[in-house]
Structure formats: C-alpha cells, structure tokens
C-alpha cells in the first residue's frame, strides 16, 4: 500500500488540487507545510489530526514546515466561523504563539532541519507595508475571485470586515514565501481551509508561471458524535495541554466512543499498521462487550499525546474505579478522580462519624449497619471495626481518606 492509499484507508483526505499531481510530487522527498492558529494558548484534538498527518508525511521521508500564525492570528481566519472574531491583543498572541510553537516541537521531529522546521509567519508578514501588500500581492486577487470562495460567501449575509476578507491573501503570501524560502511544494489543511489553500496556489502560479509544481490537499474535518468539529471554542473542548485537558480526560473520552468510532479514530489518530488495526477490529466486533477497540484507541491517543507513563496512569485510574484499588493512585490522580467530591475532615474521627461527615451514610445508625455488613472500604481495604479512629496513619499521601460504599459510591476526605 503506497502512502496516498494509506491516507485514504485512514479516511484522512478530503480534496486534492490534483490527485495525479500530488502523487507525482510525493514520488520524491517533498517539503510540505501546514499552518496553526495561535488564537488560544493550546491546540486541541482537531488540530492533532493535522499534526498526526504531518508526522505521517515526515515518517514517509518528506520534510515538514510547521507555521505558527503569529501574524495571521492578529487578523483572524473567517473559515468555519459564522461571525467576526474578537481580535486578540498583541501580548496575548505572542504568549499563544510561543505556547503553540512549544506544543508543535513536542510532536514533530526537529532534530535536523532537513526533517522539519518551525517558523512564525510574523517573521515575513510583520514588517510588510500596506503599499507593498497592495502592489506586490493584492493586484493578483480579483474581488470576484475572492467573493466566490465559500469562506467568504458563507459570511456575506452576516457581514465580513475587510480585515477578515483579506485573510486569504495573507495565507497565500505564506505559501508563496515558503515556496521560495523553504522549497515548500505542498500545503495541507483542514477541509474548511480549501479556499485559502487554493488561493495560495493561484498566487504562486500567477507570479511564477502556470507550470510551477505546487499542490495542496485537505484532510477531512474530525467531527464529534454530535456532528460538531473538535475545536477550542466548543463546549467540552479537548486541549493538547495537559493542564487544560488531563491525559485521563482524553483517555475517558475515547473509552466512551461508539464501537464504530473506536475503529474510525484508531485509523485517524494511531500509528498502528493496517494489519494491526484490522486485527483490533476483528477482536472488537467478535466481543463488543469487552470494549477492545475503545481501550486500544484510548491508550494509543493518550500515549501519543502525553507519553507511555501518562497513558498507563490513565489505564490504572480507569481500572481503579472498578477494582477499588485506590491505594495505588498518585496524589494528582486522586484529585482528578475524586477532587470534585472532596470534603475537609477532622483528624481522629470515629469511622461512623466520618461516614456521616462525608455523606456516605445518612446517620450513625446507618453507618454502623454499613460497616458491620462489610459494605465500606477505606483506601481500598474492607473495614468492619465500628470503633476505628481515622488518624494520619490511615491516610494516603498523608492527607487523603477515600471511602467506597458498594461498588460505585466514592467519597474523599482530606485532613
């Protein structure tokens, strides 16, 4: 299976400028670029589709140029937006640009400039004068051509400012600049970027000639089960920054996808071979109750985003809720799993008073029944002593007391 066939197997490609020309370009090592918007301090799972696509190109022997939109981020891309963006301050964009730059460096091999480089388009757009912008580039774009682009047409009724209207010219300048300075021959992006990508092709061919070998392709937009994009502005956004979205949250998201989506996401996100994916699919649909597909994609995505240790910790955290083996959890894991139910408690409380204080039992008499009927676990161990005093020696990490009643009811106390 050749490279394009593999991308099609994974259902990643939506449109080509020319499939034949793209295939011809990729017969030899090619330099490919993709841009990333710094309008937030972290990228999200939808961005990771493009990052993983760049990684696939890189693994196939092609050179990667990842561009952070330090300049275009000041303008705001109208693609996929129903109304004008609020413009960010320069200081906020500078912080975001650095954060996105650091995230990309985590996922793309930059050990050799021949493999991959990271740049900001502020380096060439930041000092571009208005006169140069209009004379050197604006003259190549007819208003009729720009209005025909879906990214503009979809906004005409709502209204679009000249600022956002000009965005496609700026992105076209990026392609032109990168083609000449870095030897970029292909641009990739999400399918909502199609109009911007093809505008870049037009600019290069108008300036350099119609036979210039440049192409573009778009990836299918990753949609959630509700049909919406994965995005930073969506409710429940899944960010790549673990301080915004924890590895466990990522893991749990994929653990809860449908059977069909488990295999679909395994193709999109993982770097497992076709043979490995097909084997997972066979095992999964042979025993759907075992959730083999969900477990595999949850682990693979968490591992690729945050590392093996974080993925294994997420697996442990997930298993703990069923096994009750809470004593193995780290302090951070305890806070994540049970922090929302945490209550302050006094030291040396009697177990019956503790159960009432944490709301596990409604009264001391009920607490007594719960303990004597072997329904209560303290930090993963069953207890049956109604006179037990809970001191510091009974805690995890010197401060936590985790109570489990039955199989699923948990409570967290903290000294």
């Amino acid at each position: 299976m050749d490279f394009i066939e593999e991308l099609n197997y994974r259902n990643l490609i939506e449109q080509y400028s020319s499939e034949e020309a793209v295939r011809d370009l990729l017969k030899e090592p090619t330099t490919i670029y993709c841009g990333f918007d710094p309008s937030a301090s972290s990228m999200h799972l939808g961005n990771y589709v493009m990052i993983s696509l760049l990684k696939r190109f890189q693994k196939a022997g092609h050179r990667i140029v990842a561009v952070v939109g330090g300049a275009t981020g000041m303008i705001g891309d109208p693609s996929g937006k129903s109304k004008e963006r609020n413009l960010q301050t320069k200081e906020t964009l500078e912080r975001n640009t650095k954060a996105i730059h650091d995230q990309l460096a985590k996922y793309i091999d930059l050990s050799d400039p021949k493999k991959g480089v990271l740049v900001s388009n502020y380096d060439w757009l930041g000092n571009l004068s208005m006169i140069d912008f209009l004379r050197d580039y604006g003259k190549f774009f007819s208003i009729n051509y720009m209005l025909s682009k879906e990214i503009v047409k979809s906004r005409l009724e709502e209204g679009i400012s000249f600022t956002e209207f000009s965005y496609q010219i700026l992105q076209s300048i990026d392609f032109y600049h990168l083609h000449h300075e870095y030897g970029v021959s292909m641009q990739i992006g999400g399918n909502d970027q199609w109009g911007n990508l093809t505008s870049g092709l037009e600019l290069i061919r108008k300036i350099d000639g119609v036979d210039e070998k440049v192409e573009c392709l778009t990836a299918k937009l990753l949609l959630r089960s509700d049909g919406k994009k994965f995005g930073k502005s969506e409710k429940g956004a899944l960010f790549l920054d673990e301080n915004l979205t924890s590895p466990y949250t990522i893991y749990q998201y994929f653990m809860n996808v449908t059977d069909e989506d488990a295999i679909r996401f395994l193709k999109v996100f993982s770097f497992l071979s076709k043979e490995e994916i097909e084997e997972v699919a066979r095992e999964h649909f042979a025993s759907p109750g075992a959730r083999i597909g969900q477990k595999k994609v949850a682990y693979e995505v968490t591992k690729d985003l945050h590392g093996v240790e974080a993925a294994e910790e997420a697996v442990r955290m997930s298993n703990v809720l069923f096994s009750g083996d809470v004593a193995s959890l780290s302090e951070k894991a305890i806070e994540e799993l049970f922090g929302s139910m945490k209550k302050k408690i006094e030291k040396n409380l009697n177990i019956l008073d503790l159960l009432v204080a944490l709301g596990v039992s409604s009264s001391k008499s009920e607490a007594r029944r719960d303990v004597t009927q072997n329904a209560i676990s303290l930090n993963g161990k069953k207890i049956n002593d109604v006179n037990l005093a809970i001191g510091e020696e009974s805690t995890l990490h010197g401060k936590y007391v985790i109570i489990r009643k039955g199989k699923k009811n948990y409570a967290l106390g903290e000294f």
Side-chain angles (χ1 to χ4, degrees):
M1 180 164 59
D2 70 15
F3 182 61
I4 290 295
E5 286 174 354
E6 180 181 349
L7 296 185
N8 284 328
Y9 164 72
R10 295 176 183 274
N11 203 29
L12 282 169
I13 299 177
E14 182 75 29
Q15 296 187 80
Y16 306 86
S17 51
S18 164
E19 181 175 354
E20 182 181 357
V22 166
R23 285 181 176 274
D24 284 343
L25 270 181
L26 296 179
K27 288 177 180 177
E28 301 291 337
T30 301
T31 302
I32 296 150
Y33 108 86
C34 183
F36 296 89
D37 177 20
S39 59
S41 62
S42 173
M43 293 181 288
H44 52 77
L45 198 61
N47 296 130
Y48 191 67
V49 175
M50 301 313 305
I51 295 171
S52 65
L53 191 52
L54 286 179
K55 289 172 69 175
R56 295 182 203 283
F57 275 106
Q58 196 170 55
K59 286 176 178 290
H62 304 291
R63 180 175 179 239
I64 299 306
V65 178
V67 179
V68 183
T72 45
M74 295 182 179
I75 302 303
D77 183 2
S79 303
K81 302 296 178 184
S82 60
K83 59 183 179 181
E84 193 87 7
R85 290 176 183 236
N86 292 322
L87 297 181
Q88 306 257 19
T89 65
K90 186 175 180 179
E91 292 73 24
T92 298
L93 279 165
E94 285 176 351
R95 287 196 301 271
N96 291 353
T97 296
K98 183 182 184 309
I100 300 304
H101 185 283
D102 292 346
Q103 281 188 339
L104 287 167
K106 178 180 176 182
Y107 300 117
I108 296 171
D109 184 356
L110 303 174
S111 60
D112 183 343
K114 294 179 180 179
K115 293 181 178 180
V117 294
L118 286 180
V119 294
S120 169
N121 62 14
Y122 190 84
D123 293 343
W124 57 88
L125 293 178
N127 294 317
L128 181 65
S129 73
M130 175 62 75
I131 298 300
D132 290 340
F133 171 77
L134 295 173
R135 283 178 54 88
D136 296 343
Y137 304 106
K139 65 182 179 181
F140 292 105
F141 291 83
S142 75
I143 295 297
N144 290 344
Y145 174 80
M146 295 176 72
L147 288 173
S148 70
K149 297 294 184 181
E150 184 60 35
I151 53 176
V152 174
K153 282 199 301 184
S154 63
R155 287 282 300 279
L156 290 180
E157 186 173 338
E158 176 72 24
I160 185 170
S161 69
F162 176 76
T163 299
E164 285 197 344
F165 183 64
S166 66
Y167 185 94
Q168 65 178 286
I169 301 180
L170 294 177
Q171 188 166 327
S172 299
I173 296 171
D174 285 350
F175 198 173
Y176 177 80
H177 175 86
L178 294 167
H179 178 57
H180 285 271
E181 294 298 320
Y182 291 90
V184 169
S185 298
M186 186 185 304
Q187 181 181 182
I188 65 173
N191 199 52
D192 57 350
Q193 289 285 310
W194 179 248
N196 291 331
L197 271 60
T198 52
S199 291
L201 293 182
E202 289 293 316
L203 177 63
I204 293 171
R205 288 167 176 165
K206 284 180 179 178
I207 296 177
D208 296 336
V210 294
D211 295 326
E212 197 72 6
K213 292 187 176 181
V214 286
E215 301 297 336
C216 64
L217 65 80
T218 61
K220 292 180 183 291
L221 295 178
L222 184 66
L223 300 180
R224 308 183 313 188
S225 57
D226 60 6
K228 293 183 178 180
K229 290 196 308 180
F230 285 88
K232 54 185 171 291
S233 60
E234 302 295 340
K235 183 179 180 182
L238 298 170
F239 290 101
L240 304 189
D241 183 342
E242 64 180 77
N243 295 311
L244 298 176
T245 302
S246 70
Y248 176 72
T249 301
I250 293 287
Y251 183 88
Q252 282 300 307
Y253 175 82
F254 285 100
M255 278 295 294
N256 289 295
V257 300
T258 65
D259 293 334
E260 290 73 19
D261 278 349
I263 305 305
R264 178 168 72 95
F265 289 149
L266 203 56
K267 292 178 180 179
V268 170
F269 288 112
S270 85
F271 288 83
L272 299 178
S273 67
K274 177 182 178 181
E275 292 72 25
E276 290 172 312
I277 293 171
E278 294 302 311
E279 179 61 26
V280 171
R282 280 192 292 272
E283 292 178 4
H284 174 78
F285 288 110
S287 305
R291 303 183 70 75
I292 294 170
Q294 284 90 345
K295 290 176 182 178
K296 191 64 174 176
V297 71
Y299 180 83
E300 289 295 323
V301 175
T302 308
K303 171 179 67 69
D304 289 345
L305 288 179
H306 299 295
V308 171
E309 186 176 336
E312 292 180 348
E313 174 76 347
V315 173
R316 283 195 296 273
M317 290 168 67
S318 184
N319 291 338
V320 154
L321 295 178
F322 297 97
S323 69
D325 183 24
V326 295
S328 65
L329 292 174
S330 67
E331 184 174 342
K332 183 178 179 181
I334 290 172
E335 285 286 347
E336 179 156 12
L337 284 174
F338 308 113
S340 63
M341 61 184 73
K342 182 170 64 178
K343 292 183 179 180
K344 286 289 185 179
I345 57 173
E346 299 175 9
K347 291 184 179 180
N348 299 314
L349 276 178
N350 174 271
I351 183 62
L352 305 182
D353 293 324
L354 176 66
L355 294 178
V356 174
L358 293 179
V360 175
S361 305
S362 60
S363 65
K364 289 186 70 171
S365 59
E366 181 183 326
R368 182 179 296 274
R369 286 195 302 273
D370 289 337
V371 173
T372 57
Q373 291 175 7
N374 212 33
I376 300 297
S377 294
L378 169 66
N379 296 336
K381 295 182 179 179
K382 289 286 187 179
I383 58 171
N384 50 32
D385 182 1
V386 296
N387 296 312
L388 179 67
I390 309 301
E392 192 168 330
E393 72 281 356
S394 302
T395 65
L396 298 175
H397 304 289
K399 59 181 178 179
Y400 295 118
V401 174
I402 302 175
I403 297 293
R404 184 190 192 194
K405 180 179 179 179
K407 291 186 176 181
K408 295 183 178 180
N409 297 318
Y410 284 92
L412 175 66
E414 181 183 26
F415 285 160

